[in-house]
Structure formats: structure tokens, C-alpha cells
């Protein structure tokens, strides 16, 4: 039986996809990043309080990726190839366990009324747009409302990250920060002591109005972020000089991009806008080139590399939004260049869309 959306006290929350614009993947290596929240795609979680008096029952309704029965072995294999071995219910279960522990450690009282959780998501799978963490973020917002229990904003990213780590998901803090804070955020994770002790970096909100128009390009191949990062993570932990030096350069790109976006070090005249945009294009391309040198073409995949390099044939800036599966593109020369990039990408079977930035809540 599905959730009765006419039930009393239904809570529905959204969390949006994100684009890692500059500096990724250095967020997982004590670096710096700039990310934006986008309205193009989102996940939604609905919580329905148990309608039976005095019931403390907690249940989860299977989502679109939580199948346990298949028409054939072939159907099982195809579904698993598209969606992975696990669905979204495990994310919500991990969240409930962590939320309970968080509240218990801080003596936050929780009432006994049970509930059912269900989720849906329109975020493309394995596209580096943070679909998994969006389900957890939306679920956390539901739990906070249901229990009237506030988790401070600064604590939310690490709580979400812990849920994913409990499930063996290889993740850094960047995605969870931008999905909880929303808007545009410059993040600094360089203070290793602080990050280790608190699970948080230092965050600065940026004005979304400062960002140039962006294009999103994505395909159907996707990327497994855990597999992609595995070798580089091992090399980092073993002190590989090339990996450490390259991560430092990628982190520095985020710092330079922050200055270009805020106008720091640039003239205030409107004529400097073109200079700042050209700087962002160069930094975007350099970010990807450094990542490619470090991870290698085999790990990134030929299709993913083509997705990034196609816009660059027309003078655009382009890089992964995450670990692969989608790219963010900046066209500095306007609509004609934009249309050429769009046509070339779509001719190769990629999907494209104008990025719709998601401003931070007014109360944030």
C-alpha cells in the first residue's frame, strides 16, 4: 500500500542538484572548491506521520530504484547496470540512524510518533550532480520538521556525509555543504585540524548574480565516483608527490576563481567583466586538465572526456561537475558560440540545458 498523501501532517522537502564549479575534487583532499546549487534537477522526500494513535512504527516506501523482483535475469542485469545494486531506501535508513544518534548525543528530545518515508528523484544517475546526498538532505529536512528538532546548518553537511560513509560511499564535504546551504558557496578545507575535529571547513556565500550564464551537458554513460577516486586516494594517502602537488594546484584554482567572481584584484569598471570571464574560462579548463593528468584517461572514460573537450573546440570553458557523467560549460563569446556548442554536443548524443541557479534561502 502506498503513502496516503491526504494524511494529516504530511511533510515534503526538496534538495537540489549541485555543480562543482571550481576546485573539485580537492575538497576530499583538504583543498578548496566553489559550488552552486541548481534548480534544473532535484530530489524530493515525503514524510507521513503514522495516522494510528500511539504508533511509533517507522517504515520506508520503495522508490524507483529499490526493486526486489524482476521479469527476468536480463531485466535484473539491465536495471542494475542503470541504477546500481542499491536504491534510495538505504540512504533514508542510514539518515534515520544518524539523526537518532545526533539527537541522543545532544539530549534533543524526540517524540514517539512514527512515520513513513518515501522519495523520488529527477537527478540523472551517476552524472556527478549529487543525487544520493540530495535524498539524504531532503530527508533530513523532513525529520527536523517532524520532530521539531533543529540541526544547526553548520552541522548538517557532516551529518549527511556520515550517513554516506556508513554505507561505504566515497564522498567529500563539498556536495553536502552546497546542498544544505544552497546558493553559491566558496569552501576552504585547508585547515586539516579543523576539518578532522569538526567535520567542517570555512564557508563564504557568494552572490549568484556574479556568475556568468552556464550550460549543463550530460550523457547516458555515467561514472562511478568511488571507483574513479580509488587509485588517486590511495596515492594521496601514500604521499605521492605528483598527486599532492596537483591537488594543491586545483585548490589554488578555486581561490583564483573566487577572486574573479568577487572582483578582488580587478578594476570595478564594467570593462573588467570580460577579463573576469576570460579568467574563469581559463581556470575551468585548467581544472579539468589537471584532473585528467592525475586520474588518467582510462579512469575518466573516453565518452566523458569527449563531453568536456567538445565545447572547448569552440573556445568555451568546460569541466566535470563532479566525477564524470556531466560537464559544466561557460561560453564567453555569447549566443552564437552557445548555439554552436549546443549543436555539437547534441549531435554526439549528449543532452544540454541552461543552468538555473538556485539562490540561497533569504533566512540563511
Amino acid at each position: 500500500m502506498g503513502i496516503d498523501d491526504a494524511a494529516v501532517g504530511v511533510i515534503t522537502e526538496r534538495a537540489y542538484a549541485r555543480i562543482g564549479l571550481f576546485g573539485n575534487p580537492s575538497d576530499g583532499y583538504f583543498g578548496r572548491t566553489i559550488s552552486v546549487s541548481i534548480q534544473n534537477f532535484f530530489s524530493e522526500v515525503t514524510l507521513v506521520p503514522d495516522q494510528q494513535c500511539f504508533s511509533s512504527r517507522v517504515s520506508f516506501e520503495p522508490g524507483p530504484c529499490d526493486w526486489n523482483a524482476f521479469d527476468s535475469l536480463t531485466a535484473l542485469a539491465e536495471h542494475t547496470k542503470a541504477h546500481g545494486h542499491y536504491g534510495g531506501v538505504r540512504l533514508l535508513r542510514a539518515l534515520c540512524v544518524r539523526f537518532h544518534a545526533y539527537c541522543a548525543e545532544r539530549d534533543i528530545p524526540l517524540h514517539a510518533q512514527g512515520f513513513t518515508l518515501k522519495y523520488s528523484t529527477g537527478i540523472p544517475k551517476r552524472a556527478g550532480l549529487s543525487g544520493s546526498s540530495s535524498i539524504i538532505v531532503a530527508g533530513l529536512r523532513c525529520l527536523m520538521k517532524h520532530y521539531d528538532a533543529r540541526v544547526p546548518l553548520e552541522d548538517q553537511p557532516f551529518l549527511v556525509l556520515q550517513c554516506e560513509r556508513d554505507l561505504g560511499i566515497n564522498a567529500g564535504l563539498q556536495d553536502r555543504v552546497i546542498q544544505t546551504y544552497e546558493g553559491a558557496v566558496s569552501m576552504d578545507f585547508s585547515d586539516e585540524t579543523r576539518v578532522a575535529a569538526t567535520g567542517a571547513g570555512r564557508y563564504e556565500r557568494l552572490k549568484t548574480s556574479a556568475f556568468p550564464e552556464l550550460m549543463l551537458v550530460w550523457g547516458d554513460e555515467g561514472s562511478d565516483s568511488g571507483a574513479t577516486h580509488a587509485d588517486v586516494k590511495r596515492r594521496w594517502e601514500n604521499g605521492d608527490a605528483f598527486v599532492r602537488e596537483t591537488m594543491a594546484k586545483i585548490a589554488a584554482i578555486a581561490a583564483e576563481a573566487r577572486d574573479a567572481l568577487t572582483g578582488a584584484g580587478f578594476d570595478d569598471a564594467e570593462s573588467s567583466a570580460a577579463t573576469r570571464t576570460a579568467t574563469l574560462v581559463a581556470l575551468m579548463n585548467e581544472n579539468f586538465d589537471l584532473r585528467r593528468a592525475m586520474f588518467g584517461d582510462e579512469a575518466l572514460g573516453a565518452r566523458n572526456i569527449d563531453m568536456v573537450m567538445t565545447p572547448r573546440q569552440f573556445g568555451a570553458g568546460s569541466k566535470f561537475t563532479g566525477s564524470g557523467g556531466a560537464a559544466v560549460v561557460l561560453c564567453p563569446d555569447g549566443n552564437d558560440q552557445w548555439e554552436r556548442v549546443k549543436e555539437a554536443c547534441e549531435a554526439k548524443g549528449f543532452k544540454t540545458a541552461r543552468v538555473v541557479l538556485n539562490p540561497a534561502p533569504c533566512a540563511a
Side-chain angles (χ1 to χ4, degrees), residues 28-348:
Y29 304 86
F30 304 107
R32 297 180 62 138
T33 59
I34 294 175
S35 296
V36 292
S37 174
I38 65 171
Q39 293 183 349
N40 299 72
F41 306 108
F42 60 85
S43 294
E44 199 167 75
V45 173
T46 296
L47 181 152
V48 177
D50 199 308
Q51 302 300 293
Q52 298 183 27
C53 293
F54 311 114
S55 173
S56 58
R57 183 175 182 269
V58 173
S59 63
F60 303 89
E61 185 169 294
C65 303
D66 295 287
W67 296 5
N68 289 310
F70 302 87
D71 291 336
S72 66
L73 189 62
T74 299
L76 184 156
E78 291 177 348
H79 182 275
T80 303
K81 181 179 180 180
H83 302 290
H85 289 279
Y86 309 103
V89 165
R90 66 177 184 140
L91 302 170
L92 295 175
R93 287 187 59 172
L95 166 65
C96 288
V97 172
R98 276 290 175 180
F99 179 80
H100 179 270
Y102 179 93
C103 293
E105 290 169 1
R106 291 158 181 80
D107 294 321
I108 299 173
L110 301 177
H111 60 69
Q113 184 180 21
F115 56 85
T116 297
L117 284 174
K118 73 172 182 178
Y119 76 95
S120 63
T121 182
I123 300 176
K125 295 279 291 183
R126 298 159 65 95
L129 296 168
S130 298
S132 294
S133 55
S134 69
I135 293 172
I136 301 176
V137 171
L140 175 59
R141 289 169 176 164
C142 286
L143 291 179
M144 288 192 292
K145 282 191 175 180
H146 176 67
Y147 287 107
D148 192 23
R150 178 177 176 271
V151 177
L153 183 60
E154 58 268 23
D155 287 354
Q156 292 178 29
F158 189 57
L159 192 157
V160 174
L161 180 63
Q162 287 178 307
C163 298
E164 295 183 270
R165 287 180 174 172
D166 288 345
L167 297 170
I169 297 173
N170 185 12
L173 272 165
Q174 171 190 210
D175 301 358
R176 294 90 208 145
V177 173
I178 192 60
Q179 288 182 316
T180 53
Y181 280 65
E182 300 187 327
V185 180
S186 174
M187 311 172 204
D188 184 350
F189 301 105
S190 60
D191 187 338
E192 297 187 29
T193 301
R194 174 185 170 85
V195 172
T198 67
R202 300 187 185 278
Y203 313 132
E204 175 190 8
R205 290 193 180 278
L206 303 177
K207 295 179 180 179
T208 53
S209 59
F211 288 76
E213 191 169 34
L214 302 168
M215 177 188 294
L216 185 65
V217 180
W218 70 102
D220 52 11
E221 182 171 297
S223 176
D224 182 343
S225 61
T228 302
H229 280 271
D231 181 60
V232 169
K233 188 71 172 178
R234 177 187 58 79
R235 290 159 61 194
W236 165 274
E237 291 172 346
N238 289 339
D240 184 294
F242 176 71
V243 169
R244 293 200 169 229
E245 290 170 4
T246 304
M247 281 296 181
K249 291 177 182 177
I250 292 175
I253 285 173
E256 291 182 58
R258 182 260 176 206
D259 289 345
L261 288 164
T262 60
F266 290 82
D267 294 334
D268 290 334
E270 291 184 6
S271 60
S272 67
T275 302
R276 293 200 299 272
T277 299
T279 298
L280 294 174
V281 167
L283 292 172
M284 190 176 286
N285 289 338
E286 183 184 2
N287 199 146
F288 178 77
D289 292 344
L290 289 170
R291 182 188 195 116
R292 184 177 181 180
M294 187 166 46
F295 283 78
D297 286 5
E298 184 177 354
L300 299 186
R303 179 76 169 163
N304 279 324
I305 293 172
D306 191 35
M307 182 192 305
V308 173
M309 300 308 292
T310 297
R312 289 173 62 170
Q313 295 172 8
F314 301 90
S318 184
K319 64 177 291 294
F320 286 160
T321 62
S323 296
V328 57
V329 179
L330 198 170
C331 296
D333 297 333
N335 287 334
D336 288 345
Q337 183 185 39
W338 181 289
E339 291 301 327
R340 292 197 300 273
V341 170
K342 182 177 185 294
E343 182 179 356
C345 288
E346 292 180 353
K348 292 185 176 183

